[in-house]
Amino acid sequence: MTMTKKKLIAGNWKMNGSLAANEALVKALLQGAGAPACDVALCVPAPYLAQVQSLVASSSLALGAQDVSAHPQGAFTGEQSAVMLKDFGVRYAIVGHSERRQYHGETDEGVAAKAAAVLANGIMPIVCVGETLAQRDAGQTEEVVKRQLAAIIHVNGHCISEIVVAYEPIWAIGTGKTATPAQAQAVHALLRAQLHHAASEHAAGIRILYGGSMNAANAAELLGQPDIDGGLIGGASLKAADFLQIIAAAA
Ligand code: PEP
């Protein structure tokens, strides 16, 4: 059976933007993207969810969030629940981004709980995994990414087909130092095999994105790898022309 799997290009704006800049960016994307051959998501800062929801309404661009609480409501000052994200039409939520793991002490178990919270609300988690440079140099890449993904599978295995995985080598994020297509493909193949082991009938259909300095110049080659099903794009997602070129490369 041949699987038809649309690639996913997800922009992670991180903590960037303003009402004016967001409007200009989204309007340029709407004008340039037409009817994209891939799925496209914009993961925006929480205060701008309402603005971007209305800007992308009835378009082919989907709204995404950058993080979520594992809890449904209550005394969790500063957090947003998956129920709230759903209220704003959010379709994707990044969980376990390395910046959250690094600066907010997020654990594999905590990230798995966040994935469960969004899945329970019909939102697709984009689960980030990836190794540091020291871990890569020590030959620990496989062990690290498999441990991170195993926690997700352990808690969410029953709805594994609704998950998106993003392999983001930490040393490539925001550094301009991209993994080579062969380096990325090698890790994607490991993750695919792990998904296959957990849920053989779904593994081929699960999208595994690459993230880490993907840009207009390197996107086509990365996206041409057999197990790279899209991209999670930071810096280049803030520039309409660059992001549009990446979307075109995913066609
Ligand atoms: C990211 O933040 O997920 C990311 C991949 O960033 P960049 O594209 O800027 O490396």
Side-chain angles (χ1 to χ4, degrees):
M1 187 177 71
T2 24
M3 303 269 325
T4 43
K5 179 172 46 173
K6 267 195 184 177
K7 285 191 166 34
L8 170 63
I9 300 296
N12 173 15
W13 291 3
K14 311 197 192 201
M15 198 172 70
N16 294 292
S18 65
L19 288 172
N22 302 345
E23 184 171 344
L25 175 57
V26 176
K27 285 189 169 163
L29 294 176
L30 288 170
Q31 207 168 36
C38 60
D39 290 332
V40 181
L42 306 178
C43 301
V44 310
Y48 297 126
L49 286 170
Q51 182 204 15
V52 179
Q53 180 190 26
S54 83
L55 285 168
V56 301
S58 36
S59 80
S60 52
L61 304 185
L63 186 61
Q66 297 176 11
D67 186 35
V68 66
S69 170
H71 304 282
Q73 82 272 309
F76 300 100
T77 303
E79 308 235 342
Q80 302 86 39
S81 72
V83 183
M84 293 171 182
L85 298 183
K86 191 175 164 190
D87 245 354
F88 287 91
V90 164
R91 306 251 306 278
Y92 299 91
I94 299 171
V95 296
H97 192 282
S98 60
E99 288 153 16
R100 303 282 324 167
R101 293 179 191 260
Q102 185 181 349
Y103 305 135
H104 300 272
E106 294 199 3
T107 61
D108 295 341
E109 292 69 31
V111 173
K114 288 181 175 203
V118 295
L119 283 163
N121 284 279
I123 297 169
M124 278 199 151
I126 301 177
V127 180
C128 299
V129 301
E131 81 287 1
T132 63
L133 188 55
Q135 289 165 335
R136 172 163 283 264
D137 288 346
Q140 295 167 345
T141 299
E142 175 168 357
E143 177 194 326
V144 170
V145 299
K146 281 189 167 173
R147 189 201 69 223
Q148 291 170 331
L149 183 57
I152 299 295
I153 293 170
H154 179 68
V155 175
N156 300 285
H158 56 291
C159 32
I160 199 83
S161 60
E162 303 307 313
I163 283 172
V164 176
V165 178
Y167 169 55
E168 298 210 307
I170 295 169
W171 47 271
I173 298 178
T175 57
K177 203 175 161 197
T178 318
T180 65
Q183 280 175 324
Q185 167 56 29
V187 178
H188 282 234
L190 289 172
L191 295 170
R192 180 87 60 208
Q194 190 177 1
L195 291 167
H196 195 265
H197 187 70
S200 52
E201 69 278 27
H202 298 300
I206 296 172
R207 291 178 292 190
I208 308 178
L209 315 184
Y210 169 78
S213 299
M214 190 186 273
N215 59 39
N218 62 27
E221 207 188 344
L222 285 160
L223 293 167
Q225 302 302 305
D227 288 299
I228 299 188
D229 308 311
L232 181 54
I233 325 294
S237 72
L238 297 170
K239 299 175 208 139
D242 292 35
F243 196 56
L244 286 167
Q245 278 190 60
I246 297 171
I247 292 168

